[in-house]
Amino acid sequence: MKKLIELCNFYYDVINKKPYPNKPLLGEYAFSTCAGIHQDGIKKSPETYEFINPNDLGLERKFYFNKLSSNRVCQQNL
């Protein structure tokens, strides 16, 4: 899978474009969420929300905080 991601990124480089930010696996916001309930669930049991581990693809999980994030999750991440 990691090689497939690299190939897709190479393709986007060749055509001089970036994948849409919300595109699964390739987009800037892949493996990211701001919803507190999802953040809490991912911390407790990632396989519930992610069908593949982002580390296996050379990517990382990102949590964003806004009005959708719960105060409890925000405090745990500080």
Side-chain angles (χ1 to χ4, degrees):
M1 281 295 285
K2 191 172 183 177
K3 293 287 186 190
L4 183 59
I5 298 299
E6 291 172 6
L7 178 64
C8 290
N9 285 324
F10 174 75
Y11 168 77
Y12 278 106
D13 286 342
V14 168
I15 64 170
N16 199 28
K17 291 191 175 201
K18 289 185 175 186
Y20 291 114
N22 294 334
K23 188 158 187 73
L25 303 179
L26 298 173
E28 180 182 351
Y29 301 122
F31 299 104
S32 62
T33 184
C34 59
I37 193 164
H38 292 153
Q39 292 170 352
D40 187 54
I42 289 169
K43 289 176 103 180
K44 290 177 181 172
S45 181
E47 62 277 357
T48 302
Y49 290 93
E50 299 171 342
F51 71 95
I52 190 166
N53 187 328
N55 295 329
D56 294 344
L57 303 174
L59 303 171
E60 63 182 37
R61 182 180 300 123
K62 295 173 256 175
F63 291 161
Y64 294 98
F65 302 101
N66 66 13
K67 66 182 181 180
L68 298 175
S69 305
S70 71
N71 289 335
R72 191 180 94 201
V73 173
C74 287
Q75 290 170 355
Q76 289 173 351
N77 287 304
L78 294 177

